[in-house]
Amino acid sequence: MSDHDDFEPLAAEYALGCLEGDDLREAERMMANNPAFSRAVAAWQTRLTPLTALVPPAPPPDALWDRIAASTAPVPDNVVPLRRVRFWQASTAGALAIAASLAAFMILRPAPRAQIAVLAQMAGGTPIFLATAEPDGRLTIRPNGAIGVPSGRDLELWALAKGDTKPHSLGVLPVAGRQMAAGLAPDTQLLVSLEPLGGSPTGQPTGPVVFGGTLTQVN
Amino acid sequence: MPDPDDTATLLHRCANGDRAAFRALYDRWSARMHGIALRIVRQPSLAADATHDAFVQVWQQAHRFDPERGSAEAFLVSLVRYRALDIVRRTARETPGYEAEEQEDESPDALSIMVATSEGAALQRCLSRLEADRRRLIVMAFVDGLSHGELAEKLLIPLGTVKSWIRRSLLSLRECLAS
């Protein structure tokens, strides 16, 4: 049996949307890592899409366009209005699902590829930060809700490259998020620590790491 | 000459930062995409979240859309479906404020609404060759976003049977569509 025949049923079921649990996670992993699999899923999605004709259209709420327009407006450096930041309500598993669903129709290039990371709270729970690293080196960090920081403290963002033992600072991270230039390698960990106002005085984290996640390529 | 307002062209214009094209795409697709989300998540505010998130991704990822891999329609539909599925797989399905029609009509006649396009006509023809109970599984999985386990529970069919019926039905659909 060829590889193609091996994964074809899983690709079809992922496109149909009936997977759950371990099977779903396996399909999402393959979407991220196996271009032939994601291509098979795209073909299945195209085959099955006519079924959506069975669903009656439902106009979205009138205010939705304004929300979308705000979420897609250009982000000025360092200023992200809080209204805009309610982004993917993503858990770490959710981020994989997002990356997986995007993979089906994406142009395949050896490089460059965008990377995303969910910076989950180390203590669990929400809100979280979502990081997107574009191939051109732009890094955007946005929270998905209102993030609280004790008065007199700042959050500071750190990058820890794979294999490194010491993170390097990417600067203070406003609770509303930030966009910056930072060419980061795949699998770099992004960490957010709680620091004195203005950031760590030592060049290394001095307070607890409160958010963290690892950049993963969107295939 | 391609229609400057067709979906693939609008996506291409979005990839070049054309806000008017993004708005045109929204005007053309938002009701269909929101309808798809609403059917799956069954809760208006969660459906609005799914539709919002899907359009944000449309804008941000339009430049990565590869028409060689599938249709623009399938790209848009899959963005909102996976977002909606992700929401229902992670939050228990609730039904306040909106009750989906419980009884799906997946008879060959009801499916004839799909024949407006040639792809839809082919799929309708191939679905109509499946036995009724297997066709129901495929339609409910895709349209309502029900998982293997939810289908088994709802239709009172053993989980193993649901899985094998779906698997075999999808493979015979593929053969039929290729012929």
Side-chain angles (χ1 to χ4, degrees), chain B residues 100-139:
Chain B
E101 293 162 52
E102 281 303 311
Q103 201 50 52
E104 203 90 55
D105 185 355
E106 59 290 304
S107 65
D109 275 356
L111 295 182
S112 65
I113 194 170
M114 292 160 54
V115 302
T117 62
S118 57
E119 298 81 9
L123 182 60
Q124 190 262 346
R125 177 175 58 82
C126 292
L127 278 169
S128 67
R129 293 185 182 179
L130 298 177
E131 287 172 45
D133 44 9
R134 295 161 201 224
R135 182 166 59 238
R136 180 177 305 129
L137 286 177
I138 298 293
V139 172

Side-chain angles (χ1 to χ4, degrees), chain B residues 4-177:
Chain B
D5 291 326
D6 76 10
T7 301
T9 310
L10 288 173
L11 264 184
H12 183 70
R13 288 169 57 197
C14 286
N16 291 318
D18 183 339
R19 298 292 291 188
F22 188 39
R23 178 65 210 225
L25 202 64
Y26 181 83
D27 289 342
R28 172 174 301 189
W29 279 92
S30 59
R32 267 191 72 186
M33 288 169 67
H34 189 64
I36 290 165
L38 192 56
R39 176 63 78 95
I40 292 174
V41 305
R42 302 186 189 187
Q43 217 249 60
S45 68
L46 289 178
D49 285 350
T51 306
H52 166 270
D53 291 351
F55 272 100
V56 172
Q57 287 300 304
V58 167
W59 178 251
Q60 293 181 343
Q61 309 292 340
H63 63 286
R64 293 206 186 88
F65 169 65
D66 180 356
E68 297 294 310
R69 307 191 106 213
S71 69
E73 289 79 2
F75 174 60
L76 296 176
V77 164
S78 71
L79 279 179
V80 77
R81 282 188 74 244
Y82 281 113
R83 188 65 195 125
L85 288 171
D86 188 47
I87 288 172
V88 294
R89 296 282 185 269
R90 286 186 300 107
T91 61
R93 217 183 278 258
E94 294 170 19
T95 56
Y98 177 77
E99 197 59 48
E101 293 162 52
E102 281 303 311
Q103 201 50 52
E104 203 90 55
D105 185 355
E106 59 290 304
S107 65
D109 275 356
L111 295 182
S112 65
I113 194 170
M114 292 160 54
V115 302
T117 62
S118 57
E119 298 81 9
L123 182 60
Q124 190 262 346
R125 177 175 58 82
C126 292
L127 278 169
S128 67
R129 293 185 182 179
L130 298 177
E131 287 172 45
D133 44 9
R134 295 161 201 224
R135 182 166 59 238
R136 180 177 305 129
L137 286 177
I138 298 293
V139 172
M140 290 178 74
F142 191 83
V143 170
D144 294 311
L146 298 183
S147 66
H148 281 138
E150 289 170 324
L151 288 164
E153 194 175 318
K154 194 173 177 83
L155 299 175
L156 305 174
I157 301 173
L159 181 60
T161 307
V162 167
K163 287 185 176 178
S164 72
W165 281 3
I166 285 181
R167 186 159 285 210
R168 273 184 268 155
S169 299
L170 287 168
L171 292 179
S172 59
L173 277 183
R174 186 178 61 152
E175 276 170 31
C176 174
L177 288 168

Side-chain angles (χ1 to χ4, degrees), chain A residues 74-94:
Chain A
V75 186
D77 284 357
N78 293 323
V79 185
V80 183
L82 260 179
R83 279 190 67 245
R84 190 184 296 163
V85 300
R86 211 199 137 283
F87 201 52
W88 300 98
Q89 287 180 313
S91 63
T92 306

